[in-house]
Amino acid sequence: MPLFTPEDSPVGRMYTDNILSFMDYGSSNLNNNENMTIMVNPTITPLPGWNIKADLAYKTVNNQNKSIIPTLNRIEPGGWKPANSHTSPSRIYDFRSRSNQYTINIYTDYSKSFESGHNISGVLGYNQEWYNYNSLWAQKTDIAEGVDFIKGASGRLTGDDDFLDWAVRGIFYRLSYDYKGKYLLQSNGRYDGSSRFEKSGRFKFFPSFSAGWVVSEEEFAKDWDSVVSFLKLRGSYGSIGNQDVGYYDYIPILIQEQDLPYEFDGVRPSFISVPELVDANYTWETATTLNIGADINLFQNFEINFDWFRRNTVDILTDGASYPAIIGAEAPVSNSGEIQSQGWELIAKYKNETAGGLGYDVALTLGDYKSKVITYQGNDSYLLNKLYSGFNIGDIWGYETYGLFQNQAEIDAVNPAETQKNLDKLWFPGDVRYTDLNGDGVITNGTNTLDNPGDRHIIGNSTPRYSYGLNGNLRYKDFDFNIFLQGVGKRDVWINNNLYWGAGAIGTYNIYNDSWTPENTGAKFPGYYPAEKNKHVQTRFLQNGAYLRIKNISLGYTVPTQWAEAVKFKRIKVNVSAFNLLEFKKVPKQFDPELLSLNYPIMKSYAFGIQATF
């Protein structure tokens, strides 16, 4: 689309609906952001081994945004009548905000080693943070040409302000003990309070404990030294809190609204809405993790680290149990949910150096996990479009399909106007054929519940399974090389957006070419026309989200010291890197398997750099 219509067009030379027109015709959007951070970190050492430290910080952020939008008269495709939507009336907008954040950490640590082999250390500290934010904006319409301030506009003036604040306060500790580096014990804990909860539920204690045994330090393990040079067994159990919720969700807030849906004396007055119900026990969410692991070094060059974990997140803030309709309000959010995640991770590393001076190391990571909803009270009916107790996180409910209708005879034989009438009443060659799983002669989703899902069932799971990575390094004389690969071994994804489907929106070229026509009956996609009936979650268009990607590859060269010194440098290194250079995947090429929700392809980039040290 050109930026302007031709001079000899019915309207002469005018802007078109090209997105660049909105940038070219005279609008502006200016941002000015100011950030300042002040930090002080004093340390006092009253006695050997005893330190008293503090981290004191202040951060302030000031933002200003001013946008000026004159009226843009332009020509849209399909006609010669000027349009000015999105820019009429003209307007000027000014936004100002300021935030302040204060942080105080004061802590003391002490360590002591005894000749008998006992070693102790500890940390005790206090933490407090508080934050406040306020903003103010104003907008006025009908600006005069060349005016860049609100007073110069003559239309309607509107504005509003906003504010928020939060604070956390707590104490923390760490106690450590070991005996000759063989037996290791540690305890950590935090007693934290958050302003986001009511006073009676504001503070909570989150402890953790860990233990380790370095088996290779035992006398009986010395015979293994030529094979097992290091062996450590370890385990931990602990909890951590989550206060990432709304700032004032624990307060039943009265909200002032405008334009009551009823008139009094010909006027729709302002009114105050009834606040939502709030659970009196609204408090922290808590994640408790059990971890068991081992570290082992074999033959001096080979290292293996293995971890198994189980995490239970309890007191999750979710929809509460259903209330009778006579109450006249929805059940409040409450700490009633529980999710369990269980998984493992394996890291294997190998390093070596040849007699010829080639050094290399490679590290392989492989891990897997699954998550399950243990308790969810906000879905007594076990509706499938909500979480429910027993739900495996990531499960995809959908229909079974078996091809596309190829001709009218196939349609008449199945009579989808009756069997698939719940999906649509009009069916044509090229449309999707859905399978009647429960044999009742009609395709439905039943009551959309776990007990009656109709003709749907679990067709996949979107949880990334068997995530893996490979990091390799080579070193030879003045050269070094690194490559990092990353991937997911198993994942099902359902892509539901117009970039994928097209048909009246922004469909892709390859889908357009692979859509059903009477001449292209073997196409994967249905006929290229807007039809929601073909886009229900189903097996035919479920995507394989597994992938392998070269995330980074780099080559470096360190200039010999005598060359660097000849130009008055101590060290000079040249390097070149490529990011996301190559990938192997099953999802359409215009999608990034890691960021499917962004509807945007993977970004490749290249970099060249020089590091010079004086």
Side-chain angles (χ1 to χ4, degrees):
M1 183 186 294
L3 195 63
F4 294 96
T5 58
E7 292 281 4
D8 59 354
S9 73
V11 295
R13 189 173 188 266
M14 285 191 67
Y15 278 108
T16 69
D17 201 35
N18 189 319
I19 187 64
L20 298 179
S21 299
F22 293 87
M23 303 170 62
D24 183 72
Y25 84 109
S27 62
S28 65
N29 184 35
L30 303 176
N31 289 284
N32 181 35
N33 302 318
E34 299 175 354
N35 301 273
M36 181 180 71
T37 302
I38 300 174
M39 300 180 65
V40 179
N41 308 101
T43 299
I44 303 173
T45 306
L47 295 172
W50 179 25
N51 299 299
I52 300 175
K53 302 178 180 180
D55 300 323
L56 312 174
Y58 167 68
K59 180 180 180 180
T60 182
V61 179
N62 292 289
N63 293 327
Q64 179 181 4
N65 169 252
K66 177 179 282 190
S67 62
I68 301 173
I69 304 177
T71 302
L72 171 62
N73 293 306
R74 62 191 186 279
I75 300 299
E76 296 185 344
W80 293 105
K81 184 178 180 180
N84 56 24
S85 57
H86 308 299
T87 67
S88 180
S90 60
R91 56 196 179 273
I92 181 170
Y93 171 83
D94 198 339
F95 170 86
R96 314 287 178 94
S97 72
R98 177 185 177 91
S99 66
N100 299 289
Q101 183 170 351
Y102 308 84
T103 303
I104 298 176
N105 285 304
I106 302 174
Y107 54 99
T108 180
D109 62 69
Y110 178 78
S111 60
K112 178 72 173 179
S113 297
F114 299 92
E115 293 183 0
S116 56
H118 298 280
N119 304 287
I120 59 172
S121 64
V123 175
L124 178 65
Y126 170 83
N127 163 253
Q128 180 168 320
E129 298 178 50
W130 64 103
Y131 173 91
N132 59 67
Y133 167 92
N134 62 79
S135 66
L136 180 69
W137 67 266
Q139 177 175 283
K140 201 169 185 180
T141 60
D142 300 330
I143 58 176
E145 185 176 354
V147 169
D148 62 354
F149 53 92
I150 285 180
K151 272 194 172 183
S154 59
R156 184 184 179 210
L157 177 65
T158 54
D160 202 355
D161 65 352
D162 194 12
F163 71 92
L164 63 88
D165 56 3
W166 58 261
V168 292
R169 176 184 297 167
I171 57 175
F172 56 91
Y173 76 89
R174 181 178 71 245
L175 299 175
S176 301
Y177 165 80
D178 77 83
Y179 176 68
K180 294 185 177 180
K182 292 191 294 185
Y183 312 116
L184 315 169
L185 295 173
Q186 188 175 97
S187 175
N188 297 271
R190 295 189 63 95
Y191 183 67
D192 283 324
S194 171
S195 65
R196 304 189 190 197
F197 306 112
E198 196 272 333
K199 287 186 177 180
S200 62
R202 182 161 291 173
F203 283 87
K204 199 167 185 180
F205 180 50
F206 304 101
S208 65
F209 307 91
S210 62
W213 178 26
V214 183
V215 182
S216 53
E217 290 295 314
E218 299 288 357
E219 285 298 325
F220 64 78
K222 300 303 181 183
D223 296 336
W224 313 343
D225 196 56
S226 59
V227 177
V228 180
S229 56
F230 181 81
L231 174 60
K232 179 181 179 180
L233 305 178
R234 48 187 167 76
S236 64
Y237 181 82
S239 62
I240 189 170
N242 174 40
Q243 55 115 25
D244 188 15
V245 296
Y247 300 106
Y248 310 110
D249 288 353
Y250 69 96
I251 302 175
I253 299 175
L254 298 169
I255 301 176
Q256 185 171 347
E257 313 258 8
Q258 293 182 338
D259 298 331
L260 187 73
Y262 310 99
E263 290 188 358
F264 293 91
D265 297 328
V267 177
R268 294 172 60 187
S270 300
F271 65 100
I272 295 177
S273 64
V274 176
E276 297 180 354
L277 298 178
V278 174
D279 192 309
N281 298 313
Y282 187 87
T283 188
W284 293 79
E285 297 178 347
T286 302
T288 303
T289 303
L290 170 66
N291 183 283
I292 299 173
D295 306 309
I296 183 171
N297 291 358
L298 301 172
F299 306 107
Q300 305 296 326
N301 302 99
F302 192 42
E303 179 182 342
I304 300 175
N305 310 102
F306 179 80
D307 284 273
W308 175 90
F309 70 89
R310 185 174 65 205
R311 180 182 300 110
N312 281 68
T313 305
V314 299
D315 295 334
I316 298 174
L317 289 161
T318 66
D319 296 335
S322 300
Y323 281 6
I326 193 173
I327 292 179
E330 296 290 334
V333 172
S334 63
N335 296 90
S336 58
E338 180 180 354
I339 293 178
Q340 184 181 92
S341 299
Q342 185 170 300
W344 54 269
E345 182 180 39
L346 173 68
I347 302 175
K349 302 177 183 178
Y350 182 80
K351 60 181 180 180
N352 200 1
E353 186 168 343
T354 67
L358 174 64
Y360 60 93
D361 61 80
V362 61
L364 172 67
T365 62
L366 177 64
D368 185 37
Y369 78 95
K370 295 188 294 184
S371 299
K372 184 176 183 178
V373 177
I374 304 300
T375 304
Y376 186 84
Q377 296 185 2
N379 187 6
D380 294 340
S381 300
Y382 284 73
L383 293 171
L384 299 183
N385 57 351
K386 300 178 65 176
L387 295 178
Y388 54 82
S389 298
F391 175 71
N392 292 311
I393 300 296
D395 275 352
I396 302 172
W397 284 83
Y399 293 100
E400 285 279 353
T401 57
Y402 61 110
L404 306 175
F405 288 117
Q406 297 297 330
N407 50 57
Q408 189 61 43
E410 288 187 0
I411 296 175
D412 294 339
V414 177
N415 189 15
E418 287 299 322
T419 59
Q420 300 182 183
K421 63 183 179 180
N422 293 285
L423 306 181
D424 203 294
K425 293 183 178 179
L426 296 176
W427 295 84
F428 307 101
D431 285 340
V432 172
R433 299 181 64 170
Y434 294 90
T435 304
D436 180 12
L437 287 183
N438 59 12
D440 62 358
V442 62
I443 307 296
T444 72
N445 65 355
T447 57
N448 192 38
T449 62
L450 186 61
D451 290 335
N452 183 14
D455 295 293
R456 294 192 301 164
H457 68 119
I458 296 173
I459 61 175
N461 189 287
S462 61
T463 301
R465 302 289 306 277
Y466 309 111
S467 299
Y468 60 89
L470 180 69
N471 189 29
N473 295 282
L474 295 174
R475 299 169 300 278
Y476 182 73
K477 296 185 178 180
D478 296 323
F479 291 90
D480 59 86
F481 173 79
N482 170 263
I483 185 170
F484 175 51
L485 288 75
Q486 176 185 302
V488 169
K490 180 182 179 182
R491 188 188 183 194
D492 303 306
V493 294
W494 176 257
I495 304 176
N496 184 29
N497 57 62
N498 287 329
L499 180 61
Y500 178 79
W501 287 102
I506 48 175
T508 57
Y509 178 77
N510 54 316
I511 290 177
Y512 173 79
N513 283 331
D514 198 16
S515 294
W516 187 95
T517 66
E519 297 76 31
N520 188 23
T521 57
K524 178 178 180 179
F525 293 92
Y528 199 79
Y529 72 101
E532 293 300 320
K533 60 189 173 186
N534 291 322
K535 303 177 185 178
H536 294 286
V537 181
Q538 58 188 272
T539 53
R540 183 176 182 86
F541 300 111
L542 192 69
Q543 299 291 309
N544 182 350
Y547 70 92
L548 169 62
R549 171 174 293 162
I550 300 180
K551 292 285 288 186
N552 179 52
I553 185 169
S554 62
L555 177 66
Y557 174 68
T558 301
V559 175
T561 303
Q562 62 270 27
W563 295 3
E565 291 178 346
V567 290
K568 309 303 181 183
F569 285 95
K570 290 184 178 179
R571 183 175 183 268
I572 299 176
K573 182 178 180 180
V574 181
N575 59 77
V576 60
S577 301
F579 303 90
N580 299 317
L581 185 63
L582 183 65
E583 63 181 345
F584 303 91
K585 62 182 181 181
K586 294 292 186 179
V587 297
K589 65 180 182 180
Q590 63 271 19
F591 289 95
D592 180 350
E594 291 184 82
L595 302 169
L596 288 169
S597 62
L598 295 185
N599 305 340
Y600 204 78
I602 185 66
M603 296 287 290
K604 297 181 180 180
S605 60
Y606 305 89
F608 173 78
I610 298 177
Q611 297 173 331
T613 304
F614 292 96

